[in-house]
Amino acid sequence: MEMLRFATAGSVDDGKSTLIGRLLYDTKTIFEDQFEAVEKASVQMGAEYTNLALLTDGLRAEREQGITIDVAYRYFATPRRKFIIADTPGHIQYTRNMVTGASTADLAIVLIDARKGVLEQSKRHAFLASLLRIPHLVLAVNKMDLVDYDQERFEEVRNEFRDFAAKLNIADLAFIPVSALHGDNIVDRSASMAWYQGPSLLHHLEEVHIASDRNLIDARFPVQYVIRPQSGEYHDYRGYAGTVAGGVFRTGDEVTVLPSGFSSTVKSIETFDGRVDEAFSPMAVAIRINDEIDISRGDMIVRPNNQPTVAQDIDAMVCWMNERISLRPGSKLVIKHTTRSTKVIVRDLSYLLDINTLHRDEGAAQLSLNEIGRVQLRSQAPLFFDEYRRNRQTGSFVLIDEATNVTAGAGMILGPAS
Amino acid sequence: MGTAGSCRVEWAVLLAAMSFDLTHLRQLEAESIHIFREVAAEFENPCLLFSGGKDSIVMLHIAQKAFWPARLPFAVMHVDTGHNFPEVLEFRDRRVAELGARLVVACVQEAIDSGMATEETGPRASRNRLQTAVLLDAIERHRFDALFGGARRDEEKARAKERVFSFRDEFGQWDPKSQRPELWNLYNGRILMGEHIRVFPISNYTELDVWQYIKDEQIEIPSVYFAHRREVFERDSMLLATGPCIALMDGEEPFVERVRYRTVGDMSCTGAVESSADTIDKIIEEVAATRITERGATRADDKVSEAAMEDRKKEGYF
């Protein structure tokens, strides 16, 4: 069975929680005791109907305030696929949570209320999905029941969104008219919208082709940990453990180790279950090589004819996630990139991006909570990276504040800075 | 020619992509192995919390895979409430010996005897809360800086929001409102002295994933998970085993039933379910068809209130 991770962004008003509740309910993922708890809570809150949103709002503060604060992960499966939903709040003040949920998603669902059309919020969600390079985007035009399942209205919304989306980098965009409340086009095709010839939402989630989304070209192996049993039959064993971050490694391959630049060949690729001939993303394996070279955590094993950029100056889009401190030129932080951690200094902030209008403010002096901007960083030790759009593993990083140890920012690499 | 050529290219891409597929269980396992290795590389003194339940058994199994052929680079700790299934204790000791791992047992009974903790009384007495104090005390005494737990996000809604690397302050407390953002597979394990991180390597497994993984990997589990005959009584629509650690209340009549456990914890508050599933395949069938969550069906400790788990987690519970 395959696995698909998708993110949903939206607020209660868009019917996001109802949509998720519907997917879980119709795929029989919601259990009786969970449903009873939600029914009980709905009655206590004086709701007229069972509020499926309560299924997803897990924290006491969220239930009390009727809002989603944090990313929640939900699970369901059909015979074809296992699904992991990163359910994120849609309001601008939770941009960091949306970015978090989007970072691992293969697909994003952006919800639009058919009556309201494309709002600022929907544009923002689509922009964040494209910034985080989610390969597949679904625009679910919801509440079709409230516009009499009107084909013309659906097409108006679709065309409006399409015009906007042309400005973004979206590889695959699908439009589905739905009513989450009544279940139209969620699991089964709707009888009320015979004019719609496409798949239901669930059918689309089951069928969308994700196998070629991974980078199987650029071989990248960030060394995580060195396995040295130092005992008995494994006395001289030395395995470089890690998760393949791109490309394919095979026994006998010629490899180069960064930063030393030494070359050798792959002796074997090992797992607990035995040796394997090849390893690809996201397999977690141990690579043994034929020559004794000094290799440690933070190093990267690559192919000699296909190497990542090695640089100390990087150009990146950064989403700032901390409310107490801000990012400004001169800020010193810790960067965690693949398995390497080092210090960085912010050299420059080129512009702050208005995520509603995509306007670039080149006069901005700092990035505050939930703001996104283009920055140039200089690291103490060189980093081995690819552009984020080419490889989400070797092109991403987080920034940590050294005084408080909190994760204060997340970045997507555009390339080396000049 | 042009059409045929591009068609061939597409097929080549498709075939290549197909051969590089991993099943969902392999992907989940790879993610867990990655998490174990991150912790082993970045922390001074991690420890794996082992209860003898299926989730911690799966977690231990994956840990073994992550570091093979080396031994586990950390200790294994059991918080022993003193109300254990004997089958589970026997299993724990055997498994730890097989792995050559170091076992640390933190005893609730010892804490009670030494006066560090006071036991609840009455027929509904539970050592659940005492576990938290004993756990935090052991973390402090052994100076553990990272603790692996077998919690899954599908278990309970507070857990659905918890990070894989979950920060605990110097009092061992969880603050759900100020969790560290967690993106891609980059985990932030930086802490100050006295703080620690709870790490949940199998966060993304569901109950069904765990059972399918147990089957695929042929992992041994304690016998109490399979249908067996046991003397039980009914309380709060759950079946609890009779035994020295639990007193019957008026109207509670013991009877013998064919049951199995869906979760394994403290005997006094873990319920059994009526079942005839005596093989892994039958258990998977039963779990796939069931309409009640495992905690709802079998955990008295979660029935206290809507936010029972959130409240206990804030105080430092597993």
Side-chain angles (χ1 to χ4, degrees):
Chain A
M1 192 157 71
E2 280 184 326
M3 188 154 95
L4 179 107
R5 296 175 192 250
F6 68 94
T8 55
S11 59
V12 177
D13 299 340
D14 302 322
K16 181 202 60 164
S17 298
T18 315
L19 178 86
I20 292 173
R22 172 61 67 182
L23 276 173
L24 299 180
Y25 192 75
D26 286 357
T27 55
K28 305 200 181 345
T29 312
I30 293 174
F31 294 103
E32 279 167 17
D33 55 324
Q34 288 173 314
F35 193 75
E36 275 168 24
V38 165
E39 271 185 324
K40 210 168 103 185
S42 301
V43 171
Q44 273 173 6
M45 293 171 82
E48 285 171 25
Y49 58 94
T50 302
N51 185 357
L52 291 177
L54 294 175
L55 275 167
T56 54
D57 293 334
L59 301 175
R60 189 193 287 273
E62 292 178 320
R63 285 192 302 277
E64 283 169 4
Q65 296 168 45
I67 51 165
T68 311
I69 295 169
D70 209 334
V71 187
Y73 293 91
R74 308 273 151 211
Y75 304 83
F76 72 100
T78 66
R80 276 194 67 93
R81 276 184 177 163
K82 169 185 168 104
F83 296 97
I84 301 181
I85 312 176
D87 176 15
T88 69
H91 198 266
I92 190 156
Q93 74 195 82
Y94 300 114
T95 297
R96 65 171 162 181
N97 307 87
M98 255 183 289
V99 168
T100 300
S103 72
T104 50
D106 304 304
L107 178 147
I109 298 175
V110 171
L111 271 159
I112 285 188
D113 184 328
R115 295 168 304 172
K116 296 178 187 163
V118 183
L119 301 178
E120 195 174 85
Q121 164 161 300
S122 354
K123 290 182 181 174
R124 190 171 69 242
H125 297 162
F127 166 70
L128 291 175
S130 81
L131 182 74
L132 272 293
R133 296 278 164 183
I134 301 181
H136 309 275
L137 185 67
V138 176
L139 190 81
V141 182
N142 193 21
K143 306 199 183 179
M144 286 300 293
D145 53 311
L146 299 181
V147 296
D148 299 325
Y149 299 106
D150 182 28
Q151 180 176 6
E152 233 169 81
R153 181 59 193 147
F154 170 69
E155 283 170 0
E156 264 171 36
V157 175
R158 185 181 63 186
N159 293 340
E160 194 186 347
F161 189 82
R162 210 176 247 161
D163 289 343
F164 168 75
K167 293 186 234 169
L168 307 173
N169 289 297
I170 297 170
D172 171 37
L173 177 59
F175 295 88
I176 305 177
V178 302
S179 165
L181 190 64
H182 299 290
D184 292 287
N185 284 335
I186 302 294
V187 171
D188 297 312
R189 291 266 300 275
S190 166
S192 311
M193 289 179 276
W195 48 265
Y196 172 73
Q197 299 298 314
S200 69
L201 179 63
L202 184 65
H203 190 248
H204 183 74
L205 294 174
E206 285 184 309
E207 297 293 330
V208 64
H209 183 66
I210 51 168
S212 48
D213 294 342
R214 275 170 303 161
N215 182 323
L216 292 167
I217 297 164
D218 311 312
R220 305 284 184 260
F221 190 79
V223 175
Q224 233 189 330
Y225 183 85
V226 183
I227 297 176
R228 293 182 60 204
Q230 292 176 296
S231 67
E233 57 177 313
Y234 297 105
H235 193 78
D236 295 320
Y237 183 103
R238 190 184 281 257
Y240 302 106
T243 302
V244 180
V248 183
F249 286 87
R250 294 188 175 85
T251 309
D253 274 356
E254 198 183 329
V255 289
T256 297
V257 182
L258 299 173
S260 69
F262 288 126
S263 289
S264 182
T265 48
V266 174
K267 181 180 180 180
S268 60
I269 302 171
E270 314 221 342
T271 72
F272 176 84
D273 301 299
R275 290 186 178 175
V276 292
D277 293 331
E278 56 187 19
F280 49 88
S281 173
M283 285 171 70
V285 297
I287 291 182
R288 297 177 73 193
I289 60 173
N290 278 313
D291 298 275
E292 284 210 8
I293 337 178
D294 176 28
I295 302 177
S296 49
R297 175 172 169 86
D299 292 357
M300 192 183 281
I301 300 175
V302 301
R303 302 293 310 277
N305 55 358
N306 177 341
Q307 301 198 14
T309 306
V310 178
Q312 279 172 270
D313 289 288
I314 58 174
D315 184 18
M317 296 300 292
V318 167
C319 174
W320 198 248
M321 302 184 147
N322 192 274
E323 61 273 29
R324 286 190 292 270
I325 47 171
S326 54
L327 174 144
R328 49 181 86 225
S331 296
K332 286 182 184 151
L333 296 146
V334 170
I335 190 169
K336 187 163 185 186
H337 170 259
T338 66
T339 55
R340 190 158 253 243
S341 294
T342 182
K343 289 185 185 184
V344 288
I345 183 162
V346 179
R347 270 177 39 199
D348 199 14
L349 170 62
S350 314
Y351 56 81
L352 182 153
L353 193 68
D354 183 316
I355 56 172
N356 288 323
T357 62
L358 305 188
H359 173 76
R360 297 172 177 186
D361 176 5
E362 291 175 4
Q366 61 174 46
L367 286 185
S368 305
L369 176 63
N370 293 318
E371 290 180 338
I372 293 172
R374 183 169 180 172
V375 300
Q376 287 76 47
L377 305 169
R378 180 170 176 83
S379 62
Q380 194 178 32
L383 299 174
F384 324 125
F385 59 83
D386 297 285
E387 289 172 38
Y388 181 75
R389 64 171 180 175
R390 193 162 171 92
N391 189 320
R392 286 168 98 184
Q393 260 71 54
T394 57
S396 57
F397 59 83
V398 293
L399 296 170
I400 298 165
D401 173 46
E402 240 184 327
T404 57
N405 286 334
V406 296
T407 306
M412 290 138 282
I413 298 175
L414 299 166
S418 49
Chain B
M1 186 61 212
T3 321
S6 67
C7 214
R8 210 162 24 235
V9 171
E10 272 174 38
W11 269 109
V13 169
L14 194 65
L15 283 172
M18 281 168 64
S19 64
F20 293 123
D21 269 353
L22 291 183
T23 64
H24 72 294
L25 292 178
R26 290 300 130 209
Q27 282 190 52
L28 291 169
E29 182 193 66
E31 180 179 276
S32 307
I33 289 176
H34 181 85
I35 293 162
F36 273 114
R37 289 169 172 173
E38 278 300 285
V39 173
E42 293 205 324
F43 289 83
E44 296 286 323
N45 192 16
C47 177
L48 183 144
L49 290 169
F50 185 78
S51 67
K54 65 183 188 313
D55 298 323
S56 64
I57 290 169
V58 161
M59 183 167 69
L60 191 61
H61 179 81
I62 301 170
Q64 181 187 11
K65 287 188 155 194
F67 302 103
W68 179 90
R71 288 184 178 181
L72 295 186
F74 40 74
V76 171
M77 175 158 71
H78 182 215
V79 178
D80 181 351
T81 62
H83 297 164
N84 297 290
F85 294 95
E87 300 92 323
V88 175
L89 283 188
E90 181 272 324
F91 181 91
R92 175 197 78 186
D93 293 339
R94 189 156 42 81
R95 190 76 186 102
V96 165
E98 273 167 21
L99 293 171
R102 182 164 72 92
L103 178 69
V104 175
V105 179
C107 277
V108 173
Q109 189 61 53
E110 268 175 30
I112 293 168
D113 296 345
S114 73
M116 192 193 96
T118 311
E119 179 146 43
E120 292 177 14
T121 51
R124 285 178 180 279
S126 158
R127 292 185 166 182
N128 200 293
R129 274 183 181 275
L130 300 186
Q131 279 185 83
T132 303
V134 171
L135 171 65
L136 293 179
D137 177 66
I139 293 170
E140 213 173 292
R141 244 174 331 114
H142 295 275
R143 295 175 185 268
F144 291 130
D145 51 4
L147 287 106
F148 295 105
R152 310 187 321 263
R153 285 176 175 151
D154 77 324
E155 272 180 87
E156 204 281 332
K157 54 194 167 186
R159 286 187 165 164
K161 305 231 162 181
E162 189 164 12
R163 305 293 184 256
V164 171
F165 271 43
S166 190
F167 176 77
R168 295 291 186 278
D169 65 16
E170 65 267 48
F171 303 101
Q173 313 241 319
W174 180 54
D175 180 1
K177 283 189 199 160
S178 66
Q179 298 196 78
R180 294 176 176 178
E182 198 160 78
L183 300 96
W184 299 289
N185 60 356
L186 298 171
Y187 302 102
N188 176 359
R190 295 174 72 97
I191 49 167
L192 300 174
M193 185 84 114
E195 300 167 343
H196 72 273
I197 302 278
R198 298 282 173 91
V199 181
F200 303 109
I202 61 165
S203 286
N204 286 323
Y205 288 62
T206 61
E207 185 186 12
L208 194 56
D209 293 333
V210 165
W211 283 112
Q212 282 172 340
Y213 187 76
I214 288 171
K215 183 190 167 185
D216 268 27
E217 295 284 306
Q218 302 179 327
I219 299 171
E220 194 196 334
I221 50 168
S223 55
V224 294
Y225 278 110
F226 298 101
H228 57 282
R229 297 185 74 77
R230 184 179 285 268
E231 191 183 75
V232 294
F233 65 94
E234 195 177 326
R235 179 181 291 177
D236 304 332
S237 33
M238 291 196 311
L239 298 178
L240 296 176
T242 54
C245 59
I246 189 158
L248 294 181
M249 295 193 289
D250 281 348
E252 289 177 342
E253 286 295 328
F255 55 98
V256 173
E257 185 62 81
R258 193 166 157 83
V259 297
R260 68 174 205 88
Y261 286 88
R262 273 176 82 185
T263 66
V264 165
D266 184 298
M267 274 183 90
S268 69
C269 64
T270 304
V273 290
E274 271 187 66
S275 172
S276 58
D278 53 6
T279 64
I280 297 278
D281 281 319
K282 287 183 192 168
I283 291 175
I284 290 176
E285 223 172 276
E286 190 187 278
V287 170
T290 188
R291 301 300 306 135
I292 298 179
T293 62
E294 55 186 341
R295 295 201 83 86
T298 64
R299 287 300 179 95
D301 41 338
D302 286 340
K303 291 202 163 175
V304 178
S305 82
E306 175 84 347
M309 177 64 91
E310 183 180 339
D311 293 344
R312 279 181 298 146
K313 282 191 81 72
K314 282 180 184 168
E315 289 170 12
Y317 186 70
F318 303 104

